[in-house]
Structure formats: structure tokens, C-alpha cells
Amino acid sequence: MNHSPTSAAHRPPHTFRTVFPVLALCWLAVFFDGMDVNIYGAVMPHMLDDPGLGLTPAGAGTIGSWTTFGMLVGALTAGNLTDWLGRRMMLVASVTLFSVGSAVCAVAAGVGVFGFGRFVSGLGLGGLMPLCLAMVMEFAPPRRAALTTGLLMTSYHFGGMAATGLGLTLAPAAGWRWVFWAGVLPAVIAVPLLLKLLPESPGVLLARGEREKADAVADRFGLPRPTVTAAPATGAAGRLAAVRELFRPQSRGATPLLWLASFCGLLLVYGVSTWLPQMMRAEGYGLSSSVSFLLVINAGGIVGLLIAGRTADRFGAVRVSAIWFVLTAAGALLLGNHLPLGATYAVVAVTGVWLFSAQVMVYAATGTVYRDSERAAGLGWVTGVGRTGAVVGPWLIGSLATNGNQSWGFTAFALAGLLGAVAIALVPLAQRIGRSNTRTAASVPATASANAPNA
């Protein structure tokens, strides 16, 4: 085993260039994540028009929630499986799983089998995002965590745009099933690349007792060698202890606020990704225009993430997330009114700038609240609890659509944006109160000792 200063001295600098292979592979994985999530919304109008499938608006909302319920299960179980497989193999398993789910959807003869396929896809999708976020935060250059997170999440929206392109071109020409066959491509393209090129997390290697391998990966990519305190907890007992640490006095108030902000953010992300084309169609826009809105809002999301990442590195992720949530609420209210087509495209694009990056900055803010040893658990629970919002969003709009009240969905989105803004804005206050209470509690014994009578 070699821990000599000489070997450490020859490490490359810790820059975007040195960690580019890791960031690029995670970017590719999240691209396919975004493609799979948005495929359903892009083809839903065609599926509702297919009499052989028998899909109703209520059933469409339920299936959307089954997808995100699978994501919730995947997100909450990925951590324990990572102890066994490692982050690298869990990413491979996640990509394989949502590709298999897409194949099931492509051959489904009825709504039940199709819903099962979307649930299977959700299992893979739920595990992938927290893993990729944890990987890029670990490999991110110093003081560039927010920008790196924003760059990673642009891939989600490029994937969403690819799904919309398939919905606009392949679905009308060949049928909606062929769009889901395209969802098998991740297993063909991404899996071999991940197996060949993606390194294991140094922190995970150290937590598994593989110090030499952990140091070798860190030295190869110019990262600081991991320490025991920075390694993620493993095993059931370790994970329970990690969850308890999220509620230590300094972060006790911030943790539920981060969970609430993530709930609101993911309700918006998955509610919009699933229902925007059908909601706009119900507002009187044509089928092609309604699907095109999904393309436009994802394009706005890419621009927003590039802006938000740089802005958050300068002014703080919490402040940016709160402002972005408020602007999202304003955009949602505007979309509830039937505007001229050109103005609607503009509002959709601008709303996309704010909507998706508001949630991503919640993730970036999470990294500033917790210590190194708590960050993986904190991020896992913020994404996992937030997935309940991803379940509620599609179900809620589906329920409104069943009763002919789809337009109320825009009001629901606006309320979610305002609630998310309040929750994330209160995080710094909760941290200050926690630190103040800790200092007060620490000073009480000292004061009592000083005032005690001499024995």
C-alpha cells in the first residue's frame, strides 16, 4: 500500500478537466433519465387517442404516480444497495432497470401492463439521480459544487427535449410504442461506457475498507484523499445513525424545511413533465403545439441551470432557489390564461428557466447545510422525501382532469412554488437558531460550574 507524499505530490490539479470523464458519464446517465421521465408526457396525447389501449385521463394520472412511486422506492433503497454494489454498479443497475421498463411499456397490450412497466422504470430512475448527484458533488472542483450540479442537470432537460422530439416525429409516423422502444437505448449505449470508464467513489471505497483503491482513484482525478469522517455511513445501523445526525441541533430545523422545499420542487417538475402537453391541449392549443411546449420548457430549463449555477456560486443556493420558486409561481399563473401562441411560447420558456433550477438549487443548498459525513445521507433523504411530491403532482393533475378542472393545475403549481420559496428561504434562519441554541446549551454548564460553591 502506497501512501507516500511523493505519489500524492504527482496528482493532477483538481479542475473540471481532470474530473471531466466522471462528470460526462454522469451527464449521459441523467440525459437518459430525463428522456425516460419525459417520454410519457410527450406521447400521452397519442395514447389517450388510442382506443386499443383504453387509457383515460384518470388512468393516465395514476400511471404517472406509479412511475414516481417507483422512483420513491428506488431512491430510498438505493443507499443500502450501494453498500453492497457500490455507486458505479448501482448506476449500471439503474440504467438497465429503466431500459427494461421502457421495453415492457412498448409491448404492453393494456393499461395494467403499461403501468407495471412505468413502475419498473421508476425503480431505476429513483436510484439514478441521487447517485449521480452524490458522484458529481464528490468529484466537483473546489467552490464549484452549485455550478457542477447545474451543469449535470442540463442533461435532464436535453433528455426531455429528445423525448419531445421523438413524440413530435416518431409517435405520429410510427406510433407511440416506438417511442418507448427508443427508451431501450440507454442499456445499449450508457451501460457499456459506465462499466468501462466510470470509477468507483473514493468515499464509498474507503467506507468499505478499501483504502488503497480509494487513494488511487482520488490521486488519479486530483481529489483530496478521503478521510474516515467524510466516508458515507454503511449498513443499517450506520444509516440510522446518519439519519439521527440530520436532526442534530445545528440542522434540526433546516432538515424538514429542505424536505418540504424538495417536495414542492419535485411536485412541479414531475407534474409539469407528465401533464403540460395535455393541460395546454385542454386550454385550446393544437396537438403539435401542446407537445412542443414540453420541448420549449426543457430548453428554458437548460438556460436556467446555467444561470442558476453561476449565480448560486456567487450569492448562495438558498437565495437563488427561493427567488426562482417565486418566479415559477408567477409563470404558472400566467399559463393559466389563454394567451396568443407566440406569447405562450415565451412564457413557457421563461417558466422553464426558473422551474427546474429552483429544485436543483435545493440540492445544492443541501450540500451547505450538512457536514461531509452527513452529506450523502442528507442528499438521499432530501431527494427521497421529495419524491412524494413527484407522486402527488401527476396524481393531482390527473384527478383535476377527471373532473374537467385541468386549468386548476396551474393554480396548484403556483401554490407549490410559493410554498417551496418560503421553505427554502427559512433554512438559514433555522440554522442560525440551531447554532444559537447549541452555544447557549454549551455555555450553561460552564456558567453553572463557575458559580458553584467551593467544596
Side-chain angles (χ1 to χ4, degrees):
M1 186 180 301
N2 185 6
H3 297 294
S4 66
T6 303
S7 63
H10 287 84
R11 288 181 300 175
H14 188 188
T15 64
F16 276 115
R17 183 176 180 180
T18 57
V19 300
F20 177 78
V22 176
L23 303 183
L25 288 167
C26 289
W27 194 98
L28 179 66
V30 176
F31 170 88
F32 284 123
D33 180 304
M35 178 174 151
D36 194 283
V37 168
N38 285 274
I39 275 179
Y40 183 44
V43 300
M44 185 192 294
H46 298 280
M47 294 175 66
L48 288 168
D49 290 344
D50 181 356
L53 184 64
L55 185 67
T56 65
T62 300
I63 289 174
S65 292
W66 271 106
T67 309
T68 50
F69 180 68
M71 295 172 76
L72 172 63
V73 175
L76 294 178
T77 57
N80 287 324
L81 291 174
T82 300
D83 293 343
W84 175 41
L85 295 173
R87 283 181 184 160
R88 174 174 168 271
M89 288 308 298
M90 269 303 299
L91 279 175
V92 171
S94 296
V95 173
T96 302
L97 201 56
F98 68 71
S99 297
V100 169
S102 192
V104 172
C105 290
V107 300
V111 172
V113 176
F114 182 87
F116 173 74
R118 290 306 290 165
F119 175 76
V120 172
S121 291
L123 291 174
L125 295 167
L128 185 141
M129 187 67 75
L131 288 166
C132 285
L133 285 166
M135 285 288 282
V136 299
M137 286 186 178
E138 182 176 12
F139 281 79
R143 297 178 298 279
R144 289 292 182 267
L147 176 59
T148 307
T149 304
L151 289 172
L152 171 72
M153 294 305 296
T154 62
S155 61
Y156 176 92
H157 301 291
F158 276 113
M161 293 172 70
T164 308
L166 291 170
L168 286 169
T169 57
L170 191 58
W176 60 266
R177 295 181 186 274
W178 280 100
V179 180
F180 284 98
W181 279 121
V184 181
L185 289 175
V188 179
I189 297 173
V191 166
L193 292 173
L194 292 170
L195 286 171
K196 184 177 181 180
L197 301 174
L198 186 69
E200 183 53 273
S201 153
V204 169
L205 288 170
L206 181 61
R208 291 161 61 175
E210 300 180 63
R211 159 67 73 178
E212 188 173 0
K213 290 182 179 179
D215 288 349
V217 173
D219 291 347
R220 177 185 168 195
F221 291 95
L223 277 63
R225 288 181 172 181
T227 61
V228 174
T229 57
T234 58
R239 293 194 179 279
L240 183 60
V243 173
R244 285 198 299 266
E245 286 298 301
L246 302 183
F247 289 91
R248 64 191 179 93
Q250 293 88 336
S251 55
R252 184 179 297 153
T255 292
L257 289 171
L258 289 169
W259 290 0
L260 179 58
S262 183
F263 171 90
C264 294
L266 288 176
L267 185 153
L268 286 163
V269 168
Y270 289 97
V272 168
S273 297
T274 302
W275 278 101
L276 181 64
Q278 189 61 23
M279 289 171 70
M280 300 306 284
R281 192 181 184 191
E283 289 292 312
Y285 298 96
L287 177 59
S288 295
S289 296
S290 297
V291 177
S292 297
F293 289 134
L294 198 58
L295 179 73
V296 172
I297 203 166
N298 276 291
I302 294 170
V303 175
L305 286 166
L306 295 174
I307 295 172
R310 289 187 174 275
T311 307
D313 279 335
R314 182 174 180 183
F315 297 104
V318 167
R319 186 177 301 174
V320 171
S321 181
I323 295 172
W324 265 226
F325 268 123
V326 171
L327 293 171
T328 298
L333 289 176
L334 283 173
L335 290 177
N337 299 286
H338 191 98
L339 304 171
L341 185 60
T344 303
Y345 272 117
V347 173
V348 169
V350 172
T351 302
V353 170
W354 318 123
L355 187 155
F356 298 103
S357 49
Q359 170 63 21
V360 173
M361 290 304 106
V362 173
Y363 297 148
T366 300
T368 68
V369 170
Y370 301 114
R371 299 174 297 188
D372 288 347
S373 59
E374 302 162 357
R375 194 165 293 134
L379 186 60
W381 278 89
V382 166
T383 55
V385 174
R387 294 292 182 194
T388 58
V391 174
V392 169
W395 166 82
L396 175 63
I397 307 304
S399 298
L400 293 172
T402 302
N403 296 316
N405 295 318
Q406 282 179 174
S407 59
W408 290 9
F410 294 110
T411 303
F413 290 152
L415 292 173
L418 292 175
L419 182 59
V422 171
I424 195 67
L426 289 175
V427 166
L429 176 61
Q431 288 182 279
R432 287 195 296 271
I433 293 173
R435 286 193 293 265
S436 176
N437 290 340
T438 301
R439 286 194 297 267
T440 301
S443 67
V444 169
T447 304
S449 176
N451 293 333
N454 293 329

